[in-house]
Amino acid sequence: MNGRFKSAGGAVGGGLLVAGTTSDAGKSVVTAGICRWLVRQGIRVAPFKAQNMSLNSFVTREGAEIGRAQAMQAAAARVEPTALMNPVLLKPGSDRSSQVVLLGKPVGELSARGYFGGSGGASPGKTQYAGHREQLLGTVTDCLAELRRTHDAVICEGAGSPAEINLRRTDIVNMGIARAARIPVVVVGDIDRGGVFASFFGTTALLSREDQALVAGYLVNKFRGDVTLLEPGLEMLRGLTGRPTLGVLPFAHGLGIDEEDGLRVSLRGAVRESVVAPPHGADVLRVAVCAVPLMSNFTDVDALAAEPGVVVRFVDRAEELADADLVVLPGTRGTVRALAWLRERGLADAIARRAAEGRPVLGICGGFQMLGERIEDEVESKAGTVEGLGLLPVRVRFAVEKTLARPVGTALGEPVEGYEIHHGVAEVTGGDEAFISDGQGHSLDGCRAGSVWGTHWHGSLESDGFRRAFLRRVAADAGRAFVPAPDTRFGTLREEQLDRLGDLIEEHADTDALLRLIEKGVPEGLPFVPPGAP
């Protein structure tokens, strides 16, 4: 442990909140980068996000559901993720309602009005939190306090912008948690979008005097060019706000770090950045991922994109499936809605034609459910019985209780592990083989019928041996001379990406200033920038 820090297990450890001028300013990656940089200094560090709105989630070893961004940040900190790191997770089910996951377990469905302090909007009998969002502040501060008790430092991530003045009264994730825990705040701005100086100044000037007293400085993210050209502006910003800029992080390509919110995915072309490397064999392999509504855990295809010669695209039109060697139906928080969307766009018919021609299709979680014969849903959509695509001998019934698990098994003769997050319970009535077994001939999950595969397990493609075996089967079915590279290690690639984030902080941020903030807290005498909160 760095001697400058208070001892874990005794006194409270240091803390820092990474806020942003906007959503997607880079809070998640900066938080991960600071965590990786700190742990390389021998400091016991943990990530924390009081409240996360995301369709990309993960299951901890104790069976708790948290945001994937916090699981990624825990990996950066080289600690096991726990529910303490993301006590409140909101999983959108529409533009106006979300499932509330509290300390890793779902407690109900709420409208935005109900959650943010209005009346109504909760599922009857499901939750006591409608209209009382501020009551969650005690829960999240307790979680943060426990992490600070057991770690030398906790790096917190905000959400959206701290200057969302319409939501400040019930905020628990930005200045609300910073005020409650008395931790300093660093604001990140994405200069690639433009207007970063106005964003820094405006964000600060719209905060109350008490909130401004916690804002200790700024971090510029995604800068391109000669930093000396930026320095006069940074000095003027300091003159206007009395706060320093603690670093200018350069634009970095190909980080491929887990996205927080699947609702903001672009549907045009490649969404995730594939490895720019020639195929190991003679052919490339083209993967088309159907960008269904409320798409969740689309990070499942990251491991495919990491393979040299595998090209991954997200698509929303039937004609975009024509040249695909593999079509993936990903997870979704709205299986019945996504099924209707596939039919409306002609994608369902295109997928059925592929299956009839023996061309590979893979369904994961909600995608697996859609490939079945029928879905009985009185829980998620409350649509009753709905006909599936009929490509797998599977019947799905939605249960009230959510399955949350971290299973292990065998597939295609290779060890495989994953995680399960679903209400749907699948009854497999046939097929050519189980997707995943226990290695002794007993099915654990999913099935295959011809060239159509389905599983509830997220993350299975991160198991290197299984991924290579699966891609060999796909290439054979697709008639492609594609050969998986024998040395691709997804876990190693992810570690290298996290190290790159740590390098960005170490090389381009004022690390001495960051350490002082984490260890000593909020600086005294930070000036007030008018007009303040209305």
Side-chain angles (χ1 to χ4, degrees), residues 290 292 321 326-332 335-336 338-339 342-343 347-356 359-375 386-396 426-427 429 435 446-449 451-456 470:
C290 294
V292 297
L321 304 186
L326 171 67
V327 169
V328 177
L329 287 179
T332 172
T335 302
V336 170
L339 191 54
L342 290 174
R343 288 178 167 134
L347 285 159
D349 289 340
I351 292 169
R353 287 193 298 271
R354 288 183 62 88
R359 302 172 68 196
V361 177
L362 170 64
I364 302 173
C365 199
F368 169 41
Q369 296 165 6
M370 287 186 277
L371 290 171
E373 295 169 351
R374 71 167 185 251
I375 298 169
V386 177
E387 294 300 311
L389 297 179
L391 302 180
L392 287 176
V394 176
R395 297 169 184 171
V396 176
E427 177 190 2
T429 60
F435 191 101
C447 67
R448 177 182 69 86
S451 61
V452 180
W453 305 72
T455 177
H456 269 131
F470 177 69

Short mmCIF file of all heavy atoms in Angstrom, two decimals, residues 290 292 321 326-332 335-336 338-339 342-343 347-356 359-375 386-396 426-427 429 435 446-449 451-456 470:
data_model
loop_
_atom_site.label_atom_id
_atom_site.label_comp_id
_atom_site.label_asym_id
_atom_site.label_seq_id
_atom_site.Cartn_x
_atom_site.Cartn_y
_atom_site.Cartn_z
N CYS A 290 -28.23 -8.16 -35.12
CA CYS A 290 -29.49 -7.44 -35.28
C CYS A 290 -29.67 -6.47 -34.10
O CYS A 290 -29.75 -6.90 -32.94
CB CYS A 290 -30.67 -8.40 -35.34
SG CYS A 290 -30.65 -9.46 -36.80
N VAL A 292 -31.71 -4.97 -32.15
CA VAL A 292 -33.11 -5.01 -31.72
C VAL A 292 -33.39 -3.91 -30.71
O VAL A 292 -32.48 -3.40 -30.06
CB VAL A 292 -33.44 -6.39 -31.11
CG1 VAL A 292 -33.29 -7.50 -32.15
CG2 VAL A 292 -32.56 -6.67 -29.90
N LEU A 321 -28.35 -8.60 -44.08
CA LEU A 321 -28.00 -9.96 -43.68
C LEU A 321 -27.48 -10.79 -44.85
O LEU A 321 -26.95 -11.89 -44.63
CB LEU A 321 -29.22 -10.68 -43.09
CG LEU A 321 -29.93 -10.02 -41.89
CD1 LEU A 321 -31.01 -10.96 -41.36
CD2 LEU A 321 -28.94 -9.66 -40.80
N LEU A 326 -22.55 -15.14 -40.25
CA LEU A 326 -23.23 -15.45 -39.00
C LEU A 326 -24.13 -14.29 -38.64
O LEU A 326 -23.70 -13.13 -38.68
CB LEU A 326 -22.20 -15.68 -37.87
CG LEU A 326 -22.76 -15.80 -36.45
CD1 LEU A 326 -23.59 -17.06 -36.29
CD2 LEU A 326 -21.61 -15.78 -35.42
N VAL A 327 -25.37 -14.60 -38.28
CA VAL A 327 -26.30 -13.59 -37.78
C VAL A 327 -26.49 -13.85 -36.29
O VAL A 327 -26.73 -14.98 -35.87
CB VAL A 327 -27.65 -13.63 -38.51
CG1 VAL A 327 -28.68 -12.77 -37.79
CG2 VAL A 327 -27.48 -13.17 -39.94
N VAL A 328 -26.37 -12.78 -35.49
CA VAL A 328 -26.54 -12.88 -34.05
C VAL A 328 -27.78 -12.11 -33.63
O VAL A 328 -27.94 -10.93 -33.98
CB VAL A 328 -25.31 -12.34 -33.30
CG1 VAL A 328 -25.53 -12.38 -31.78
CG2 VAL A 328 -24.05 -13.12 -33.67
N LEU A 329 -28.65 -12.77 -32.88
CA LEU A 329 -29.76 -12.10 -32.20
C LEU A 329 -29.33 -11.90 -30.76
O LEU A 329 -29.20 -12.88 -30.01
CB LEU A 329 -31.03 -12.94 -32.26
CG LEU A 329 -31.75 -13.03 -33.60
CD1 LEU A 329 -32.99 -13.91 -33.49
CD2 LEU A 329 -32.15 -11.65 -34.08
N PRO A 330 -29.07 -10.66 -30.34
CA PRO A 330 -28.52 -10.44 -29.00
C PRO A 330 -29.62 -10.40 -27.94
O PRO A 330 -30.81 -10.54 -28.23
CB PRO A 330 -27.86 -9.06 -29.14
CG PRO A 330 -28.75 -8.35 -30.13
CD PRO A 330 -29.21 -9.42 -31.10
N GLY A 331 -29.20 -10.14 -26.70
CA GLY A 331 -30.15 -9.99 -25.62
C GLY A 331 -30.96 -8.72 -25.77
O GLY A 331 -30.60 -7.80 -26.49
N THR A 332 -32.09 -8.67 -25.05
CA THR A 332 -32.97 -7.50 -25.07
C THR A 332 -33.80 -7.48 -23.81
O THR A 332 -34.10 -8.53 -23.23
CB THR A 332 -33.89 -7.52 -26.30
OG1 THR A 332 -34.86 -6.46 -26.18
CG2 THR A 332 -34.63 -8.83 -26.43
N THR A 335 -38.24 -8.80 -25.12
CA THR A 335 -38.20 -9.91 -26.09
C THR A 335 -39.37 -9.87 -27.05
O THR A 335 -39.19 -10.00 -28.27
CB THR A 335 -38.17 -11.26 -25.33
OG1 THR A 335 -37.03 -11.29 -24.47
CG2 THR A 335 -38.09 -12.41 -26.31
N VAL A 336 -40.58 -9.70 -26.53
CA VAL A 336 -41.76 -9.68 -27.39
C VAL A 336 -41.74 -8.48 -28.32
O VAL A 336 -42.06 -8.57 -29.51
CB VAL A 336 -43.05 -9.72 -26.53
CG1 VAL A 336 -44.29 -9.47 -27.39
CG2 VAL A 336 -43.17 -11.07 -25.82
N ALA A 338 -39.06 -6.91 -29.38
CA ALA A 338 -38.00 -7.14 -30.36
C ALA A 338 -38.46 -8.12 -31.44
O ALA A 338 -38.12 -7.98 -32.62
CB ALA A 338 -36.74 -7.65 -29.67
N LEU A 339 -39.22 -9.12 -31.04
CA LEU A 339 -39.75 -10.10 -32.00
C LEU A 339 -40.67 -9.42 -33.01
O LEU A 339 -40.58 -9.67 -34.23
CB LEU A 339 -40.49 -11.18 -31.23
CG LEU A 339 -40.93 -12.45 -31.96
CD1 LEU A 339 -39.76 -13.12 -32.66
CD2 LEU A 339 -41.58 -13.40 -30.96
N LEU A 342 -38.52 -7.44 -35.46
CA LEU A 342 -37.93 -8.30 -36.49
C LEU A 342 -38.92 -8.58 -37.61
O LEU A 342 -38.56 -8.59 -38.80
CB LEU A 342 -37.45 -9.62 -35.88
CG LEU A 342 -36.24 -9.57 -34.94
CD1 LEU A 342 -36.01 -10.95 -34.32
CD2 LEU A 342 -34.99 -9.11 -35.67
N ARG A 343 -40.17 -8.84 -37.25
CA ARG A 343 -41.18 -9.15 -38.26
C ARG A 343 -41.56 -7.92 -39.08
O ARG A 343 -41.72 -8.00 -40.30
CB ARG A 343 -42.41 -9.74 -37.57
CG ARG A 343 -42.15 -11.17 -37.06
CD ARG A 343 -43.34 -11.75 -36.32
NE ARG A 343 -43.15 -13.19 -36.14
CZ ARG A 343 -43.35 -13.84 -35.01
NH1 ARG A 343 -43.78 -13.19 -33.93
NH2 ARG A 343 -43.15 -15.15 -34.95
N LEU A 347 -36.82 -8.80 -41.11
CA LEU A 347 -35.66 -9.53 -40.63
C LEU A 347 -36.02 -10.95 -40.22
O LEU A 347 -35.22 -11.88 -40.39
CB LEU A 347 -35.04 -8.78 -39.45
CG LEU A 347 -34.25 -7.52 -39.82
CD1 LEU A 347 -34.13 -6.58 -38.62
CD2 LEU A 347 -32.87 -7.87 -40.34
N ALA A 348 -37.22 -11.13 -39.68
CA ALA A 348 -37.64 -12.48 -39.26
C ALA A 348 -37.66 -13.42 -40.45
O ALA A 348 -37.16 -14.55 -40.37
CB ALA A 348 -39.01 -12.41 -38.59
N ASP A 349 -38.22 -12.98 -41.58
CA ASP A 349 -38.27 -13.83 -42.77
C ASP A 349 -36.86 -14.10 -43.30
O ASP A 349 -36.55 -15.21 -43.74
CB ASP A 349 -39.11 -13.16 -43.86
CG ASP A 349 -40.60 -13.16 -43.53
OD1 ASP A 349 -41.01 -13.98 -42.69
OD2 ASP A 349 -41.33 -12.33 -44.09
N ALA A 350 -36.00 -13.08 -43.27
CA ALA A 350 -34.63 -13.25 -43.76
C ALA A 350 -33.88 -14.26 -42.90
O ALA A 350 -33.12 -15.09 -43.42
CB ALA A 350 -33.91 -11.91 -43.77
N ILE A 351 -34.10 -14.22 -41.59
CA ILE A 351 -33.43 -15.18 -40.69
C ILE A 351 -33.97 -16.58 -40.93
O ILE A 351 -33.20 -17.56 -40.94
CB ILE A 351 -33.63 -14.74 -39.23
CG1 ILE A 351 -32.85 -13.45 -38.97
CG2 ILE A 351 -33.18 -15.84 -38.27
CD1 ILE A 351 -33.18 -12.78 -37.65
N ALA A 352 -35.28 -16.72 -41.16
CA ALA A 352 -35.86 -18.03 -41.44
C ALA A 352 -35.30 -18.61 -42.73
O ALA A 352 -35.03 -19.82 -42.82
CB ALA A 352 -37.38 -17.91 -41.51
N ARG A 353 -35.11 -17.77 -43.74
CA ARG A 353 -34.53 -18.25 -45.00
C ARG A 353 -33.10 -18.73 -44.77
O ARG A 353 -32.68 -19.75 -45.33
CB ARG A 353 -34.56 -17.15 -46.06
CG ARG A 353 -35.96 -16.87 -46.62
CD ARG A 353 -35.89 -16.00 -47.87
NE ARG A 353 -35.32 -14.69 -47.62
CZ ARG A 353 -36.02 -13.62 -47.25
NH1 ARG A 353 -37.35 -13.73 -47.09
NH2 ARG A 353 -35.44 -12.46 -47.05
N ARG A 354 -32.35 -18.00 -43.98
CA ARG A 354 -30.97 -18.42 -43.67
C ARG A 354 -30.97 -19.80 -43.04
O ARG A 354 -30.18 -20.67 -43.41
CB ARG A 354 -30.32 -17.43 -42.70
CG ARG A 354 -29.95 -16.09 -43.26
CD ARG A 354 -29.25 -15.28 -42.18
NE ARG A 354 -28.02 -15.93 -41.75
CZ ARG A 354 -26.83 -15.76 -42.32
NH1 ARG A 354 -26.71 -14.95 -43.36
NH2 ARG A 354 -25.77 -16.40 -41.89
N ALA A 355 -31.85 -19.98 -42.06
CA ALA A 355 -31.89 -21.26 -41.36
C ALA A 355 -32.23 -22.40 -42.32
O ALA A 355 -31.64 -23.49 -42.26
CB ALA A 355 -32.89 -21.20 -40.22
N ALA A 356 -33.19 -22.14 -43.23
CA ALA A 356 -33.58 -23.17 -44.20
C ALA A 356 -32.43 -23.52 -45.13
O ALA A 356 -32.33 -24.66 -45.62
CB ALA A 356 -34.80 -22.69 -44.99
N ARG A 359 -27.52 -21.78 -43.07
CA ARG A 359 -26.56 -20.72 -42.78
C ARG A 359 -26.66 -20.33 -41.30
O ARG A 359 -27.76 -20.22 -40.75
CB ARG A 359 -26.80 -19.51 -43.68
CG ARG A 359 -26.71 -19.87 -45.16
CD ARG A 359 -27.14 -18.71 -46.05
NE ARG A 359 -26.21 -17.59 -45.97
CZ ARG A 359 -26.50 -16.36 -46.39
NH1 ARG A 359 -27.70 -16.10 -46.90
NH2 ARG A 359 -25.60 -15.41 -46.31
N PRO A 360 -25.56 -20.10 -40.61
CA PRO A 360 -25.54 -20.01 -39.15
C PRO A 360 -26.28 -18.80 -38.57
O PRO A 360 -26.20 -17.67 -39.08
CB PRO A 360 -24.04 -19.92 -38.83
CG PRO A 360 -23.35 -20.54 -40.00
CD PRO A 360 -24.20 -20.16 -41.18
N VAL A 361 -26.98 -19.09 -37.47
CA VAL A 361 -27.69 -18.08 -36.67
C VAL A 361 -27.41 -18.40 -35.20
O VAL A 361 -27.45 -19.57 -34.79
CB VAL A 361 -29.21 -18.10 -36.93
CG1 VAL A 361 -29.92 -17.08 -36.02
CG2 VAL A 361 -29.52 -17.83 -38.40
N LEU A 362 -27.13 -17.37 -34.41
CA LEU A 362 -26.90 -17.54 -32.98
C LEU A 362 -27.81 -16.60 -32.21
O LEU A 362 -27.84 -15.39 -32.47
CB LEU A 362 -25.43 -17.23 -32.63
CG LEU A 362 -25.08 -17.12 -31.14
CD1 LEU A 362 -25.30 -18.45 -30.42
CD2 LEU A 362 -23.64 -16.63 -30.96
N GLY A 363 -28.55 -17.13 -31.25
CA GLY A 363 -29.37 -16.31 -30.37
C GLY A 363 -28.84 -16.38 -28.95
O GLY A 363 -28.55 -17.46 -28.43
N ILE A 364 -28.70 -15.21 -28.32
CA ILE A 364 -28.18 -15.13 -26.95
C ILE A 364 -29.25 -14.50 -26.06
O ILE A 364 -29.74 -13.41 -26.35
CB ILE A 364 -26.89 -14.31 -26.89
CG1 ILE A 364 -25.82 -14.91 -27.80
CG2 ILE A 364 -26.37 -14.23 -25.45
CD1 ILE A 364 -24.55 -14.07 -27.92
N CYS A 365 -29.63 -15.20 -25.00
CA CYS A 365 -30.60 -14.75 -24.01
C CYS A 365 -31.93 -14.39 -24.69
O CYS A 365 -32.61 -15.29 -25.18
CB CYS A 365 -30.04 -13.59 -23.19
SG CYS A 365 -30.93 -13.35 -21.63
N GLY A 366 -32.31 -13.12 -24.78
CA GLY A 366 -33.56 -12.77 -25.45
C GLY A 366 -33.57 -13.23 -26.89
O GLY A 366 -34.62 -13.62 -27.42
N GLY A 367 -32.41 -13.21 -27.55
CA GLY A 367 -32.33 -13.71 -28.93
C GLY A 367 -32.61 -15.19 -29.00
O GLY A 367 -33.26 -15.68 -29.94
N PHE A 368 -32.14 -15.96 -28.03
CA PHE A 368 -32.44 -17.39 -27.92
C PHE A 368 -33.95 -17.60 -27.75
O PHE A 368 -34.55 -18.46 -28.41
CB PHE A 368 -31.66 -17.94 -26.72
CG PHE A 368 -32.02 -19.34 -26.29
CD1 PHE A 368 -32.28 -20.34 -27.21
CD2 PHE A 368 -32.10 -19.64 -24.93
CE1 PHE A 368 -32.60 -21.64 -26.78
CE2 PHE A 368 -32.41 -20.92 -24.50
CZ PHE A 368 -32.67 -21.91 -25.43
N GLN A 369 -34.56 -16.80 -26.90
CA GLN A 369 -36.00 -16.93 -26.67
C GLN A 369 -36.80 -16.66 -27.94
O GLN A 369 -37.78 -17.36 -28.23
CB GLN A 369 -36.42 -15.97 -25.55
CG GLN A 369 -35.79 -16.29 -24.20
CD GLN A 369 -35.90 -15.16 -23.21
OE1 GLN A 369 -36.55 -14.14 -23.48
NE2 GLN A 369 -35.26 -15.31 -22.05
N MET A 370 -36.37 -15.66 -28.71
CA MET A 370 -37.08 -15.34 -29.95
C MET A 370 -36.99 -16.45 -30.98
O MET A 370 -37.90 -16.62 -31.80
CB MET A 370 -36.53 -14.03 -30.54
CG MET A 370 -36.94 -12.79 -29.77
SD MET A 370 -36.41 -11.27 -30.58
CE MET A 370 -34.72 -11.13 -30.03
N LEU A 371 -35.92 -17.23 -30.95
CA LEU A 371 -35.74 -18.31 -31.92
C LEU A 371 -36.64 -19.51 -31.64
O LEU A 371 -36.76 -20.40 -32.47
CB LEU A 371 -34.27 -18.76 -31.93
CG LEU A 371 -33.26 -17.78 -32.53
CD1 LEU A 371 -31.84 -18.27 -32.27
CD2 LEU A 371 -33.50 -17.59 -34.03
N GLY A 372 -37.27 -19.55 -30.46
CA GLY A 372 -38.08 -20.69 -30.06
C GLY A 372 -39.45 -20.71 -30.72
O GLY A 372 -39.80 -19.89 -31.56
N GLU A 373 -40.25 -21.70 -30.28
CA GLU A 373 -41.56 -21.91 -30.88
C GLU A 373 -42.61 -20.94 -30.34
O GLU A 373 -43.45 -20.45 -31.11
CB GLU A 373 -42.01 -23.36 -30.61
CG GLU A 373 -41.12 -24.40 -31.29
CD GLU A 373 -41.40 -25.79 -30.80
OE1 GLU A 373 -42.18 -25.95 -29.81
OE2 GLU A 373 -40.86 -26.75 -31.39
N ARG A 374 -42.57 -20.70 -29.04
CA ARG A 374 -43.53 -19.75 -28.47
C ARG A 374 -43.00 -19.18 -27.18
O ARG A 374 -42.10 -19.75 -26.53
CB ARG A 374 -44.88 -20.42 -28.25
CG ARG A 374 -44.94 -21.43 -27.13
CD ARG A 374 -46.37 -21.80 -26.79
NE ARG A 374 -46.45 -22.67 -25.64
CZ ARG A 374 -46.77 -23.94 -25.68
NH1 ARG A 374 -47.07 -24.52 -26.84
NH2 ARG A 374 -46.83 -24.67 -24.57
N ILE A 375 -43.56 -18.02 -26.82
CA ILE A 375 -43.18 -17.31 -25.60
C ILE A 375 -44.46 -17.02 -24.81
O ILE A 375 -45.42 -16.47 -25.36
CB ILE A 375 -42.46 -16.00 -25.92
CG1 ILE A 375 -41.16 -16.27 -26.69
CG2 ILE A 375 -42.18 -15.20 -24.65
CD1 ILE A 375 -40.54 -15.03 -27.28
N VAL A 386 -47.15 -15.68 -27.33
CA VAL A 386 -46.72 -15.09 -28.60
C VAL A 386 -45.91 -16.15 -29.36
O VAL A 386 -45.08 -16.84 -28.77
CB VAL A 386 -45.84 -13.83 -28.37
CG1 VAL A 386 -45.34 -13.28 -29.69
CG2 VAL A 386 -46.63 -12.78 -27.60
N GLU A 387 -46.18 -16.28 -30.64
CA GLU A 387 -45.43 -17.23 -31.46
C GLU A 387 -44.01 -16.72 -31.69
O GLU A 387 -43.79 -15.55 -32.02
CB GLU A 387 -46.12 -17.44 -32.81
CG GLU A 387 -47.47 -18.12 -32.72
CD GLU A 387 -47.38 -19.50 -32.08
OE1 GLU A 387 -46.51 -20.30 -32.51
OE2 GLU A 387 -48.16 -19.77 -31.14
N GLY A 388 -43.03 -17.60 -31.49
CA GLY A 388 -41.65 -17.26 -31.77
C GLY A 388 -41.31 -17.50 -33.23
O GLY A 388 -42.20 -17.76 -34.06
N LEU A 389 -40.03 -17.44 -33.55
CA LEU A 389 -39.60 -17.66 -34.94
C LEU A 389 -39.65 -19.12 -35.34
O LEU A 389 -39.58 -19.44 -36.53
CB LEU A 389 -38.18 -17.11 -35.13
CG LEU A 389 -38.00 -15.60 -34.91
CD1 LEU A 389 -36.54 -15.21 -35.11
CD2 LEU A 389 -38.89 -14.80 -35.85
N GLY A 390 -39.75 -20.01 -34.37
CA GLY A 390 -39.91 -21.44 -34.67
C GLY A 390 -38.68 -22.11 -35.24
O GLY A 390 -38.80 -23.15 -35.91
N LEU A 391 -37.51 -21.59 -34.96
CA LEU A 391 -36.27 -22.16 -35.52
C LEU A 391 -35.55 -23.07 -34.54
O LEU A 391 -34.60 -23.75 -34.91
CB LEU A 391 -35.35 -21.03 -35.98
CG LEU A 391 -35.94 -20.09 -37.03
CD1 LEU A 391 -34.94 -19.01 -37.41
CD2 LEU A 391 -36.40 -20.85 -38.26
N LEU A 392 -35.98 -23.06 -33.28
CA LEU A 392 -35.43 -23.96 -32.27
C LEU A 392 -36.58 -24.62 -31.52
O LEU A 392 -37.61 -23.97 -31.27
CB LEU A 392 -34.53 -23.20 -31.28
CG LEU A 392 -33.17 -22.72 -31.77
CD1 LEU A 392 -32.47 -21.91 -30.68
CD2 LEU A 392 -32.29 -23.90 -32.20
N PRO A 393 -36.44 -25.89 -31.12
CA PRO A 393 -37.50 -26.59 -30.39
C PRO A 393 -37.51 -26.17 -28.92
O PRO A 393 -37.15 -26.94 -28.02
CB PRO A 393 -37.12 -28.06 -30.57
CG PRO A 393 -35.63 -28.04 -30.68
CD PRO A 393 -35.29 -26.76 -31.41
N VAL A 394 -37.93 -24.94 -28.68
CA VAL A 394 -37.87 -24.36 -27.34
C VAL A 394 -39.18 -23.63 -27.05
O VAL A 394 -39.72 -22.93 -27.92
CB VAL A 394 -36.69 -23.36 -27.23
CG1 VAL A 394 -36.68 -22.66 -25.88
CG2 VAL A 394 -35.37 -24.06 -27.47
N ARG A 395 -39.67 -23.79 -25.84
CA ARG A 395 -40.82 -23.03 -25.36
C ARG A 395 -40.38 -22.23 -24.14
O ARG A 395 -39.74 -22.78 -23.24
CB ARG A 395 -41.98 -23.96 -25.01
CG ARG A 395 -42.49 -24.74 -26.22
CD ARG A 395 -43.45 -25.84 -25.83
NE ARG A 395 -43.85 -26.63 -26.99
CZ ARG A 395 -44.55 -27.76 -26.92
NH1 ARG A 395 -44.93 -28.24 -25.73
NH2 ARG A 395 -44.87 -28.41 -28.02
N VAL A 396 -40.73 -20.97 -24.12
CA VAL A 396 -40.24 -20.07 -23.08
C VAL A 396 -41.41 -19.54 -22.26
O VAL A 396 -42.42 -19.10 -22.82
CB VAL A 396 -39.45 -18.89 -23.70
CG1 VAL A 396 -39.03 -17.89 -22.62
CG2 VAL A 396 -38.23 -19.40 -24.45
N ALA A 426 -36.60 -21.58 -20.23
CA ALA A 426 -36.69 -22.30 -21.49
C ALA A 426 -36.91 -23.79 -21.27
O ALA A 426 -36.21 -24.42 -20.48
CB ALA A 426 -35.43 -22.08 -22.32
N GLU A 427 -37.88 -24.34 -21.97
CA GLU A 427 -38.09 -25.79 -22.02
C GLU A 427 -37.66 -26.27 -23.39
O GLU A 427 -38.28 -25.95 -24.41
CB GLU A 427 -39.56 -26.13 -21.79
CG GLU A 427 -39.86 -27.61 -21.90
CD GLU A 427 -41.34 -27.93 -21.93
OE1 GLU A 427 -42.16 -26.98 -21.89
OE2 GLU A 427 -41.69 -29.12 -22.02
N THR A 429 -37.31 -29.02 -26.11
CA THR A 429 -38.06 -30.25 -26.40
C THR A 429 -37.41 -31.11 -27.48
O THR A 429 -37.95 -32.14 -27.87
CB THR A 429 -39.50 -29.90 -26.85
OG1 THR A 429 -39.44 -29.08 -28.03
CG2 THR A 429 -40.23 -29.13 -25.75
N PHE A 435 -26.55 -26.80 -26.28
CA PHE A 435 -25.53 -25.79 -26.53
C PHE A 435 -24.39 -25.97 -25.53
O PHE A 435 -23.22 -26.01 -25.90
CB PHE A 435 -26.13 -24.38 -26.40
CG PHE A 435 -25.22 -23.29 -26.89
CD1 PHE A 435 -25.43 -22.72 -28.14
CD2 PHE A 435 -24.17 -22.82 -26.13
CE1 PHE A 435 -24.60 -21.70 -28.61
CE2 PHE A 435 -23.34 -21.81 -26.59
CZ PHE A 435 -23.56 -21.25 -27.82
N GLY A 446 -29.55 -24.26 -23.42
CA GLY A 446 -29.62 -24.01 -24.85
C GLY A 446 -29.68 -25.26 -25.70
O GLY A 446 -29.78 -26.39 -25.21
N CYS A 447 -29.62 -25.04 -27.00
CA CYS A 447 -29.66 -26.16 -27.93
C CYS A 447 -29.22 -25.70 -29.31
O CYS A 447 -29.04 -24.51 -29.57
CB CYS A 447 -31.06 -26.77 -28.01
SG CYS A 447 -32.31 -25.71 -28.76
N ARG A 448 -29.05 -26.70 -30.20
CA ARG A 448 -28.76 -26.46 -31.61
C ARG A 448 -29.72 -27.27 -32.45
O ARG A 448 -30.01 -28.43 -32.13
CB ARG A 448 -27.33 -26.85 -31.96
CG ARG A 448 -27.01 -26.69 -33.45
CD ARG A 448 -25.60 -27.14 -33.78
NE ARG A 448 -25.43 -28.58 -33.65
CZ ARG A 448 -25.70 -29.47 -34.62
NH1 ARG A 448 -26.20 -29.06 -35.79
NH2 ARG A 448 -25.49 -30.76 -34.43
N ALA A 449 -30.22 -26.66 -33.53
CA ALA A 449 -31.02 -27.36 -34.52
C ALA A 449 -30.48 -26.96 -35.89
O ALA A 449 -30.67 -25.82 -36.33
CB ALA A 449 -32.50 -27.01 -34.40
N SER A 451 -28.14 -25.38 -38.26
CA SER A 451 -27.14 -24.33 -38.11
C SER A 451 -27.61 -23.21 -37.18
O SER A 451 -26.99 -22.15 -37.14
CB SER A 451 -26.80 -23.74 -39.49
OG SER A 451 -27.97 -23.17 -40.06
N VAL A 452 -28.71 -23.45 -36.45
CA VAL A 452 -29.25 -22.44 -35.54
C VAL A 452 -28.89 -22.82 -34.10
O VAL A 452 -29.15 -23.95 -33.67
CB VAL A 452 -30.78 -22.31 -35.68
CG1 VAL A 452 -31.32 -21.25 -34.73
CG2 VAL A 452 -31.14 -21.97 -37.13
N TRP A 453 -28.28 -21.88 -33.38
CA TRP A 453 -27.82 -22.10 -32.02
C TRP A 453 -28.50 -21.11 -31.08
O TRP A 453 -28.79 -19.98 -31.47
CB TRP A 453 -26.31 -21.88 -31.92
CG TRP A 453 -25.46 -22.69 -32.85
CD1 TRP A 453 -25.34 -22.53 -34.20
CD2 TRP A 453 -24.61 -23.79 -32.49
NE1 TRP A 453 -24.46 -23.44 -34.71
CE2 TRP A 453 -24.00 -24.24 -33.68
CE3 TRP A 453 -24.30 -24.42 -31.29
CZ2 TRP A 453 -23.09 -25.28 -33.70
CZ3 TRP A 453 -23.40 -25.47 -31.30
CH2 TRP A 453 -22.81 -25.90 -32.50
N GLY A 454 -28.70 -21.53 -29.82
CA GLY A 454 -29.26 -20.61 -28.85
C GLY A 454 -28.81 -20.93 -27.45
O GLY A 454 -28.66 -22.10 -27.08
N THR A 455 -28.58 -19.88 -26.65
CA THR A 455 -28.16 -20.05 -25.25
C THR A 455 -28.60 -18.85 -24.43
O THR A 455 -28.71 -17.74 -24.96
CB THR A 455 -26.64 -20.20 -25.13
OG1 THR A 455 -26.28 -20.29 -23.75
CG2 THR A 455 -25.91 -19.01 -25.76
N HIS A 456 -28.86 -19.06 -23.15
CA HIS A 456 -29.13 -17.97 -22.23
C HIS A 456 -27.83 -17.37 -21.68
O HIS A 456 -27.87 -16.32 -21.03
CB HIS A 456 -29.98 -18.45 -21.05
CG HIS A 456 -31.44 -18.31 -21.28
ND1 HIS A 456 -32.36 -19.32 -21.06
CD2 HIS A 456 -32.20 -17.26 -21.71
CE1 HIS A 456 -33.58 -18.91 -21.33
NE2 HIS A 456 -33.51 -17.66 -21.73
N PHE A 470 -16.38 -22.77 -31.99
CA PHE A 470 -17.64 -22.30 -32.57
C PHE A 470 -17.41 -21.62 -33.92
O PHE A 470 -18.14 -21.86 -34.89
CB PHE A 470 -18.32 -21.34 -31.59
CG PHE A 470 -19.60 -20.74 -32.11
CD1 PHE A 470 -20.74 -21.52 -32.27
CD2 PHE A 470 -19.67 -19.39 -32.44
CE1 PHE A 470 -21.92 -20.97 -32.76
CE2 PHE A 470 -20.84 -18.84 -32.92
CZ PHE A 470 -21.97 -19.63 -33.08
#
